[in-house]
Amino acid sequence: MKELVVDFNRITKSFLRPVPSTAGESSKTNIFRRTETEKIYAVNNISFQIKAGESVAFIGPNGSGKSTSIKMMTGILTPDIGNLEVLGLSPQTERVKLTKKIGCVFGQKSNLWFHLPPADSFKLLGKIYDVDNAELEVRQQELIEAFKLSEFVNTPVRKLSLGQRMKCEIVSTLLHKPEIIFLDEPTIGLDVVAKAQIREELCRLNEEEGITIFLTSHDAGDVDQIANRTIVIN
């Protein structure tokens, strides 16, 4: 029986937001009056489990809680209630220990330093994750060849195309050989060729290295080609 790597058990996460002013009220906020708020549930009593080596797509409409769920599993946000474990650790209380075992790519946020070449960011990230220099060099070269980065790995990130940058983003999160990677819309805005290359490599990493993949995407091609199981959130 495969080991459980994610146990997401009856999780709820809410936020407070200001109540819109009613008709007739001034649109300007009165700093001397308390602003009324209402509770909004981003994730409401959700449960699922992920086993080692699975490739799972987590899909649903915008605003259904996909990114919020990933942020809780990686320790960025804390659930209101419920029990959450990733690789046997609590993301909220054991986040430093957990980060050495996971990787995360947000399609609209960057792991790379904008004015540096990806190769420099890879070296710095290797230091942050305490990867041995010799091991880092071998791993980096393997990933550069696999994702076909050699032509632009020494070009500043600001000069890369979106497809080139996203391939580098994914490589940056694989340098320390994570057991599970969280991908939040990793192919958003990419052309057909770049998407195909990323999908092919993710499938290879899942099959050959046994890396567990947790993916959110609005692209049916990502879901169809990368995932072997799909969870729908509404």
Side-chain angles (χ1 to χ4, degrees):
M1 184 176 179
K2 289 186 177 180
E3 176 189 0
L4 199 64
V5 294
V6 174
D7 188 7
F8 201 87
N9 188 13
R10 301 183 69 83
I11 298 295
T12 293
K13 178 64 181 176
S14 63
F15 299 95
L16 294 177
R17 74 175 180 188
V19 176
S21 58
T22 56
E25 286 189 357
S26 171
S27 59
K28 295 182 179 180
T29 302
N30 183 339
I31 62 173
F32 300 105
R33 181 173 61 83
R34 178 182 293 177
T35 302
E36 296 296 324
T37 60
E38 61 181 347
K39 182 179 286 190
I40 300 298
Y41 287 94
V43 174
N44 192 0
N45 194 27
I46 300 298
S47 298
F48 58 81
Q49 295 179 326
I50 310 295
K51 293 181 180 178
E54 282 195 290
S55 184
V56 177
F58 192 51
I59 65 173
N62 288 328
S64 57
K66 301 185 298 296
S67 296
T68 299
S69 297
I70 286 182
K71 288 176 181 177
M72 288 190 284
M73 287 185 279
T74 53
I76 297 170
L77 294 176
T78 301
D80 296 349
I81 56 174
N83 297 312
L84 173 57
E85 284 191 0
V86 178
L87 297 168
L89 301 170
S90 165
Q92 285 67 48
T93 62
E94 299 174 284
R95 187 180 180 191
V96 174
K97 190 182 295 186
L98 179 64
T99 53
K100 300 288 182 72
K101 299 183 176 185
I102 66 173
C104 188
V105 174
F106 287 92
Q108 301 182 54
K109 298 183 186 296
S110 183
N111 295 326
L112 305 171
W113 279 261
F114 187 64
H115 296 292
L116 295 180
D120 288 356
S121 290
F122 296 163
K123 290 177 183 177
L124 183 52
L125 288 165
K127 293 290 186 183
I128 290 172
Y129 284 105
D130 293 326
V131 182
D132 178 79
N133 287 338
E135 291 181 12
L136 178 64
E137 187 63 34
V138 172
R139 178 65 168 172
Q140 180 176 310
Q141 206 52 47
E142 287 176 353
L143 293 170
I144 286 173
E145 291 176 8
F147 282 85
K148 299 178 176 59
L149 311 184
S150 56
E151 292 183 6
F152 53 84
V153 72
N154 291 304
T155 302
V157 170
R158 69 178 185 275
K159 295 184 178 181
L160 301 182
S161 70
L162 179 60
Q164 291 170 336
R165 183 177 70 79
M166 283 311 303
K167 286 194 280 188
C168 292
E169 295 282 358
I170 294 173
V171 167
S172 76
T173 203
L174 295 167
L175 293 168
H176 59 294
K177 296 185 178 180
E179 296 179 43
I180 179 172
I181 54 174
F182 298 94
L183 305 171
D184 192 13
E185 298 192 48
T187 64
I188 188 170
L190 302 191
D191 61 62
V192 174
V193 174
K195 285 183 180 182
Q197 291 175 338
I198 288 174
R199 290 167 182 165
E200 181 181 342
E201 281 309 307
L202 289 174
C203 290
R204 183 190 66 80
L205 288 162
N206 174 250
E207 184 176 337
E208 295 181 7
E209 297 188 13
I211 294 177
T212 304
I213 296 174
F214 188 89
L215 165 79
T216 77
S217 180
H218 290 292
D219 190 315
D222 290 346
V223 177
D224 181 53
Q225 295 179 40
I226 299 173
N228 51 39
R229 182 159 72 97
T230 302
I231 300 171
V232 180
I233 185 172
N234 197 356

